[in-house]
Structures are given as structure tokens and as C-alpha cells.
Amino acid sequence: MFSEDHNRYLLLQQNQRRSCLVEKKTFLILICLILPITLFCATYMILFGIYEKLVYPKSTLNGFNTKEVITQNLHRATLYNNLKPFHNLSDIPEFGHTDAVDDNVFRLVCYYNFPSDSYSLQVKDIDPFLCTHINVAFASVHNNSINLNEVHLGYLQEVVKLKDTNKNLKILLSIGGSGNSDDFPEMVKNHTNRKTFIQSILYYVKTYGIDGIDLDWEFPSEYPDGDKNQRMHFTQLLAEIRKNISRQKNFPYLLTAAVAAPAALVDAYYDVSYMNDYVDFVNVMNYDFHFFTTTTPFTGINSPLYPLSSEKMFMSTLNINYSSHYWNYKGMEKSKIVVGLPTYGHTYRLLNPRNHEIYSPASGYGKLGFNGFASYYQICNFLQVNHITPVFDMEVLSPYASKYYEWISFDDEQSLTYKTEFIKNNQFGGAMIYCLNSDDFKGSCTMGFSGGLKFPLISTVKSVLGRTDPGAV
Ligand SMILES: *[C@@H]1O[C@H](CO)[C@@H](O)[C@H](O)[C@H]1NC(C)=O
Ligand SMILES: *[C@@H]1O[C@H](CO)[C@@H](O)[C@H](O)[C@H]1NC(C)=O
Ligand SMILES: *[C@@H]1O[C@H](CO)[C@@H](O)[C@H](O)[C@H]1NC(C)=O
Ligand SMILES: *[C@@H]1O[C@H](CO)[C@@H](O)[C@H](O)[C@H]1NC(C)=O
């Protein structure tokens, strides 16, 4: 009995020791496996975090890259880039270029997006003498009337006060915007609704002292299968507003429209020669010609002045030169064509970093900015921190830059100098800038001729234009 018990006791002890050993073993194995993995991950994350911080400097500036604004622009950029190639290029006459006339005056129309927080461009930081016109963006259409919330109305009133400093400055309220144009179709539909809208314009002009309105409907009869009547109704709206303006003795407000640039869209959306009779001028949105979409998965220039020599047919029409002349060819007087230029760029993620030219395969948006849009100050910081010298392409007259997987098309002082000279030499009506918010408004960028100055890009356009005079409408 006793020995049996003793044996059982020994056996029990043995088992315990064994299981203890097994536990120890498991523990050791776990330590040996998990510790290095954890350490590796931690090190990698720290290094990667530092790397990210170095490569993509955090900017305290904001304003342009608010989700709202970007989402709005995304609609247009996507639309521009999903056009079906069209063929009737043959009937566009050659345009000779005229030499600039010294005493000509040009408009410099700048869009100002409502600030979304304290890092955004504030009204007090806008130089009242920089632009001839400021388009405050965006109000919407609601219940057939102009609709602006209290906060935005406050900003509008603040912008109007800039006229106390520069009495020649014109302030326009821009209505619509890409992705914010849903209520236009209903409003333009019949005379009654349009009349209500015109009364609301008059109310804004009289109550808030604005100088005019800019209609940014993106877009009437939207391509490819929108309601064709919208285009006609839009023209009717412009005609009725013009009629109303002609009746105003004390408030002769300005009427402008922000319009699409690609020729296929001009054909689909606008009765250009009629519009010519009604608007003071149009702001041609000459940007987003190239942007990453799943159907256009390659790098491209946001706002090329001229085509690349390798671009043929349809592709050779996606540039400022073609669009500006096309608007003129369709019936808009040159002096009423205000040529749009961007202060933002587009980013791409390269498929293969070694392939980093224009038209290189891309797999998505770059990391800089948001949704493929980046402000000049972000791009400038990125280039400075990473010691990147951009490539300046002498065909499109625009720069681009890349680092590893990141690829960026943008505008700098040099490209905007060429583009502004183009406006002068061809006697167009001036330059439109989209937008004040995405220029280097703090002067944080020290690159370029005017590095360290505030609004280096818009200042460049202003100085190349020479005499700018808002009196010339
Ligand atoms: C600019 O456009 C005009 C009109 O289409 C054309 O005649 C001219 O050749 C173009 N210039 C360049 C450099 O492509
Ligand atoms: C819409 O506008 C009309 C006047 O044009 C006004 O009587 C009506 O109350 C408005 N409705 C809403 C929902 O604001
Ligand atoms: C105009 O359209 C509105 C709907 O937006 C409708 O209520 C109104 O009766 C129409 N007016 C006329 C004169 O057709
Ligand atoms: C147009 O202007 C006249 C004259 O100032 C004004 O009385 C009228 O209400 C305005 N509105 C429309 C829709 O014509």
C-alpha cells in the first residue's frame, strides 16, 4: 500500500515537472519568435514614421485642402479625364498671334474659397491690390435663390470691406462650383424660377454691396447624356440677367461665368456666341486636363500651355492654348476670355519609380495633399525638404517632379510667366486664378524668384500682366 502510494506520488511529481518544462519551452519559443517580430515592427514603424515626416513635411497651412473643396473639384477633374475622344479637329482655323499692345489692360480674377478653420487663408491676409476681381466661392442655389449660410455671409461681408482699401477692386459672389450645382437645373427650368433667382441676385448686390455674380454651374447638360434643354435654359438665364442689368441705373452689376475648357465639353454645354452677348467675361477653367482616374492611369500635366509633340488628335487638344482659342473660335470675343490658371497641382503614385516621365503608368493618387490635389505651398515644401529639382518641360511649359513613388505636376513662377505671356501676346481678357487659398499665402516657400514673398505665384502673374485695371470690364 505504502509503496504504491509513494510511486503514485513520484509519478505525479514527474508529471508536474514535465508540464512545467513544457510551459517554459513554450514561453521561450514565444519570446524567441514574438520579441524579434515586435522589435522589427517597432523599429520599422519608427523609421518609416520619421521617413514619412521627412519626405512629407506637415504643413500648418490649410484652406484649400479641405475635404469639401477637394471633393468639389474632384467632380470636374474626373469629368475632364473621362471624355470620349472626338474627331472633328480639322475645322479649327489657325490663329495668328498678335503682339501685345502696351496700353492694354488685363483682368486678374482670383477665386477665394471660404476658410474652413484658422489655418486657412483669412480675409485679413488677402492683399486688396493683388487681384482686380475676387470671386468669393461658393454660394449655392436653393429654392430658386442664392443660398449662403450665416458664417459664409460673414466672410463675404469681410471681403467686401477690402474695397475700403482698394476702391477699384471688384468683389463677385460665385454661385455653384463642381459638386455644388444640383439646384441649377430646377431654377433655370422656367421663367418664374429664373425671375426669383434674379431678384435674389439684386438683393445680394444691393444689401451686401457686391459688384456682381459669377455663375459656376458645373455643368449645364452635363456630358455625356445630360438634359439638352439645360444648356438652352442657361443661356436664357444669362439673357434675362443681362436684361435686368441694363435696367439698373444705380447697381450695374457684373455677370460672369466659370466655364469648362475641353472642346468636347464646350460643344456640349454652351451656346458660346449667345453667351458672348450676355456675359461680361468667362473664366475658362484650364486645369485638371490630366488627373489620375482608373481610366487614365498615367501621369500627366495639370495645366499644359501647349501639347507635347508626341500628343496627337484628341490628346493634342487638352491644353490652355487649344481651349482658349476654341472659346474664341466658337464666338467669345478674345477680350471676354479670361484664361484660368491653377495654383495647385496634381499628385500621382507611380507604378514603377524608375519610370517617371509624363505619361508614366500610375496606380493612384500621390500621398501629398488630398485626393490627388496639392497646394503650391505643400508642393514647394516637399521639393525643398527633399532637395528635388523639378524637370521643366519646354513643350508643355510646365514643371513636374518626382521622388520614389510620388509624382507631381504643378505650376511655378516660371510656368506662370510663360502662361501669362501667352495671355498678353494673344490679347485675351486676362488671367483667372484658382485659387488664392492654394498659393503660398504665408510666404513659407523660399524657392523661386520670389521665394519668401507671400502669394509668389499670383504676384508673378500680376507683374507679367503689367497694367491690370478692374475698370476694364
Ligand atoms: C495654339 O493654338 C493655335 C490655334 O489652334 C494653333 O494655330 C497653334 O499652332 C497652337 N500653338 C502651339 C504651339 O501648339
Ligand atoms: C421659397 O421661396 C419663396 C419665395 O420665393 C418663399 O415664399 C418660400 O417660403 C421659400 N421656401 C423655403 C422652404 O425657403
Ligand atoms: C415653374 O417650375 C416650378 C417648379 O420648380 C413650378 O412649381 C411652377 O409652377 C412652374 N411655373 C410655370 C409658370 O411653369
Ligand atoms: C430687374 O430690374 C428691375 C429694375 O431695377 C426691377 O424692378 C426688377 O424687379 C428686376 N428683376 C427682374 C426679375 O427683372
Side-chain angles (χ1 to χ4, degrees):
M1 281 300 269
F2 173 81
S3 77
E4 213 174 87
D5 266 0
H6 183 69
N7 275 348
R8 211 182 284 153
Y9 171 74
L10 284 180
L11 208 68
L12 204 69
Q13 261 194 338
Q14 221 172 339
N15 276 349
Q16 258 173 4
R17 226 176 287 139
R18 204 175 290 146
S19 80
C20 191
L21 216 64
V22 169
E23 260 170 37
K24 257 190 206 153
K25 236 189 231 160
T26 325
F27 183 68
L28 273 175
I29 288 171
L30 278 177
I31 292 256
C32 289
L33 270 177
I34 290 173
L35 202 67
I37 291 175
T38 317
L39 274 176
F40 176 79
C41 287
T43 318
Y44 180 80
M45 299 227 320
I46 290 167
L47 286 180
F48 191 68
I50 291 171
Y51 166 81
E52 286 275 285
K53 253 189 211 136
L54 287 177
V55 174
Y56 299 101
K58 257 252 169 318
S59 175
T60 52
L61 304 180
N62 194 353
F64 180 61
N65 283 308
T66 59
K67 289 203 176 171
E68 298 93 304
V69 173
I70 297 296
T71 310
Q72 286 169 12
N73 289 297
L74 197 58
H75 176 81
R76 177 183 55 248
T78 309
L79 190 81
Y80 272 25
N81 281 273
N82 287 301
L83 298 177
K84 298 279 177 301
F86 63 104
H87 43 274
N88 58 335
L89 299 178
S90 49
D91 53 353
I92 307 214
E94 292 285 308
F95 296 90
H97 97 53
T98 13
D99 282 326
V101 179
D102 275 348
D103 63 357
N104 216 28
V105 287
F106 297 99
R107 302 177 194 93
L108 178 48
V109 180
C110 305
Y111 277 82
Y112 174 56
N113 283 120
F114 290 122
S116 55
D117 55 37
S118 60
Y119 298 118
S120 306
L121 171 61
Q122 304 297 312
V123 179
K124 66 174 171 43
D125 296 321
I126 302 175
D127 172 359
F129 294 95
L130 185 60
C131 308
T132 60
H133 299 67
I134 295 179
N135 287 358
V136 181
F138 290 98
S140 55
V141 178
H142 183 63
N143 194 20
N144 303 322
S145 299
I146 296 175
N147 181 50
L148 202 58
N149 69 37
E150 285 298 314
V151 176
H152 289 174
L153 184 59
Y155 286 124
L156 175 67
Q157 289 173 296
E158 235 188 290
V159 178
V160 170
K161 287 211 187 85
L162 296 175
K163 288 163 66 72
D164 295 348
T165 315
N166 177 3
K167 66 173 175 36
N168 287 327
L169 178 64
K170 306 282 186 210
I171 310 295
L172 289 87
L173 179 59
S174 188
I175 301 157
S178 169
N180 189 35
S181 297
D182 289 354
D183 289 351
F184 271 103
E186 187 66 31
M187 180 270 283
V188 296
K189 227 182 204 164
N190 65 38
H191 179 71
T192 318
N193 293 358
R194 293 194 296 265
K195 202 167 165 179
T196 307
F197 184 70
I198 296 169
Q199 289 304 84
S200 89
I201 297 175
L202 217 53
Y203 172 79
Y204 269 79
V205 169
K206 289 184 175 171
T207 313
Y208 303 110
I210 58 173
D211 298 289
I213 54 148
D214 171 59
L215 297 178
D216 191 0
W217 179 0
E218 301 189 19
F219 292 95
S221 304
E222 187 160 313
Y223 185 92
D225 31 44
D227 174 3
K228 295 285 172 287
N229 289 325
Q230 288 178 4
R231 166 180 156 170
M232 180 184 76
H233 289 147
F234 183 53
T235 309
Q236 277 173 331
L237 174 68
L238 296 175
E240 287 166 13
I241 296 175
R242 174 55 58 197
K243 199 166 160 194
N244 195 259
I245 294 170
S246 65
R247 289 204 214 125
Q248 306 299 320
K249 293 231 168 57
N250 301 321
F251 301 95
Y253 56 92
L254 294 172
L255 171 61
T256 69
V259 294
L265 299 187
V266 179
D267 289 347
Y269 300 160
Y270 310 107
D271 298 313
V272 178
S273 59
Y274 287 105
M275 285 175 78
N276 182 62
D277 295 339
Y278 308 134
V279 297
D280 287 289
F281 56 88
V282 291
N283 298 305
V284 183
M285 296 185 278
N286 284 307
Y287 30 73
D288 304 329
F289 282 118
H290 296 283
F291 178 67
F292 178 84
T293 68
T294 48
T295 51
T296 52
F298 40 79
T299 60
I301 300 294
N302 182 23
S303 182
L305 181 52
Y306 299 114
L308 290 167
S309 52
S310 60
E311 287 174 323
K312 303 288 179 230
M313 300 303 290
F314 171 68
M315 296 312 271
S316 74
T317 69
L318 301 175
N319 53 72
I320 298 174
N321 179 55
Y322 192 91
S323 285
S324 308
H325 285 308
Y326 195 70
W327 266 93
N328 181 229
Y329 165 70
K330 295 284 285 191
M332 188 63 63
E333 286 161 41
K334 273 190 167 180
S335 64
K336 290 188 174 190
I337 297 172
V338 175
V339 177
L341 304 171
T343 52
Y344 66 89
H346 282 316
T347 70
Y348 298 80
R349 183 177 167 81
L350 292 171
L351 207 57
N352 176 352
R354 271 172 299 179
N355 199 351
H356 51 75
E357 317 282 300
I358 302 173
Y359 287 121
S360 292
S363 60
Y365 304 137
K367 277 196 177 162
L368 201 64
F370 184 77
N371 272 3
F373 284 76
S375 300
Y376 177 65
Y377 59 76
Q378 291 177 312
I379 296 166
C380 180
N381 276 338
F382 176 80
L383 299 179
Q384 285 186 161
V385 166
N386 294 292
H387 307 287
I388 301 166
T389 310
V391 178
F392 197 91
D393 185 285
M394 289 310 289
E395 287 184 337
V396 294
L397 295 171
S398 304
Y400 62 89
S402 70
K403 170 142 181 135
Y404 303 132
Y405 285 95
E406 191 82 27
W407 197 94
I408 308 164
S409 155
F410 64 105
D411 272 279
D412 60 7
E413 288 138 303
Q414 192 185 355
S415 69
L416 290 173
T417 299
Y418 284 117
K419 291 168 190 180
T420 309
E421 277 170 354
F422 160 85
I423 295 170
K424 285 183 77 171
N425 293 340
N426 288 285
Q427 299 288 292
F428 288 113
M432 174 271 272
I433 305 285
Y434 193 84
C435 52
L436 278 160
N437 311 57
S438 51
D439 198 351
D440 180 19
F441 60 84
K442 291 248 161 105
S444 66
C445 166
T446 53
M447 230 174 45
F449 335 130
S450 38
L453 292 182
K454 291 175 182 174
F455 297 102
L457 298 188
I458 302 175
S459 303
T460 300
V461 173
K462 179 186 163 77
S463 84
V464 177
L465 279 180
R467 209 153 88 83
T468 52
D469 182 358
V473 287

